[in-house]
Amino acid sequence: MLPIDHAQLSRLDLNLLVAFDALMRERHVTRAAHRIGLGQPAMSHHLARLRELLGDELFTRAPTGVVPTPHALMLAEPVRTALACLQGVLTQRPFDPATQERHFKVSLSDGLESSLVPAFLSLAASEAPGVTLSLSPLQESLGLSLLDDGALDLLVGPPLEQAPHHKLRQFCAGGYRVVFDPDVVDVDLPLSLEDFLSIPHVRVSRRADSSDVVDDALARLRLKRRVAVQTAHSLSVPHLLRGSRLLAVLPRRAALASAQAFGLSISEPPLPLTADAIVMRWHASRDADPGHRWLRETMFRAATQSGEENSAPHVTARTPPRRRRSRQKVAMGLTGEPVPPSTARGATLKRKS
């Protein structure tokens, strides 16, 4: 951390930074003045002082208001972060999870929603009955800006490019598993590449070209698979697999959760698949917030206490009665009766479509 030059900062009027941030957000002098409760002449005076202080025009006139200069754009995020941190310090209160109410907004993939959030809710029900969640789909292109705007408290997903005002913590490894219904799909495990290619697939992809990490890996081997069903929603995959001779490749945690809940079997994929780790991201202004710190720590504990392959008993995969194979088949994953959703009281959630 840089040493603080108290003499220089004492000459700075904090109101000027507030005015600068309002102008950056509104791009209009009158609207910016209204935003912070000033008249237009007072805002124009603040802008004149800012220009003198920083030695730059900062904003130029345009038909729709004002346009920031390159120097203003460079200053925008550091100023906003500094103001947010200062506001957090001035308004920060101790957080007692056992007695206080708090609402958090979290963005994550539907696979992580099904595999991570139930474990979080179980912990929150016993520790923080007043905590509620709003969950929204992961939007990688918008996620960081939503953190900056305060529209999100936490972004959970693969690593993304970040700015210095974003904090992150890696909390679970990536990886993929093949999932299938052992009552219909009769294979030896670990799954061979031959069986992997001979059985039709359910593909989960949001790419414009409809491909995914499996297609990328097969292309390097000059191979292709047959895709019988394609979807953008990983939560529908276990429903599509039940009773169908299909395979699906899911992120490891989603695969384990699906296998446990739907009586499916899993296998290591028969080819190497590139997988990103999963990280939490948040805005630096929330770093010292006791409630936000509880959210991050509880998410981390939920990730490390659930979803591991050795966290539940392994059982033999069921063999379809119409076919018999000479080799013994052992499931590399979780099978059994469906697990009902958590009925723990306390933490509740609202899911955005």
Side-chain angles (χ1 to χ4, degrees), residues 259-322:
Q260 184 177 27
F262 289 86
L264 304 175
S265 289
I266 63 173
S267 172
E268 291 273 359
L271 71 169
L273 300 176
T274 303
D276 291 323
I278 303 300
V279 300
M280 293 186 289
R281 292 179 184 272
W282 62 96
H283 197 277
S285 62
R286 310 287 182 93
D287 200 43
D289 179 347
H292 199 280
R293 188 183 301 118
W294 176 88
L295 170 69
R296 301 192 306 263
E297 291 299 326
T298 306
M299 279 288 183
F300 183 83
R301 285 188 289 134
T304 54
Q305 293 176 12
S306 66
E308 299 302 326
E309 283 155 299
N310 58 3
S311 64
H314 293 239
V315 299
T316 303
R318 293 165 288 179
T319 304
R322 64 178 182 276

Side-chain angles (χ1 to χ4, degrees), residues 172-177 249-255 269 273-278:
C172 61
Y176 294 91
R177 297 293 182 268
V249 178
L250 294 175
R252 184 181 62 86
R253 298 185 64 84
L273 300 176
T274 303
D276 291 323
I278 303 300

Side-chain angles (χ1 to χ4, degrees), residues 125-201:
S126 60
E127 299 176 12
V131 165
T132 58
L133 293 180
S134 287
L135 305 178
S136 60
L138 182 65
Q139 303 179 66
E140 296 184 9
S141 60
L142 298 176
L144 297 181
S145 63
L146 293 174
L147 289 178
D148 295 344
D149 292 340
L152 282 180
D153 293 297
L154 202 61
L155 180 66
V156 185
L160 304 170
E161 292 184 6
Q162 69 177 68
H165 56 272
H166 295 132
K167 300 284 188 176
L168 69 84
R169 180 179 186 181
Q170 179 176 329
F171 68 90
C172 61
Y176 294 91
R177 297 293 182 268
V178 184
V179 190
F180 58 92
D181 185 344
D183 282 340
V184 182
V185 179
D186 185 19
V187 292
D188 297 303
L189 299 178
L191 192 66
S192 68
L193 183 58
E194 179 183 1
D195 285 337
F196 185 77
L197 295 177
S198 67
I199 299 172
H201 285 228

Side-chain angles (χ1 to χ4, degrees), residues 33-48:
H34 180 72
R35 185 184 187 99
I36 59 178
L38 293 177
Q40 183 175 349
M43 178 60 78
S44 297
H45 179 66
H46 280 340
L47 179 55

Side-chain angles (χ1 to χ4, degrees), residues 2 43 63 67 93 219 238-239 312 340 342:
L2 293 174
M43 178 60 78
V67 177
R93 298 290 185 273
H239 298 278
S342 172

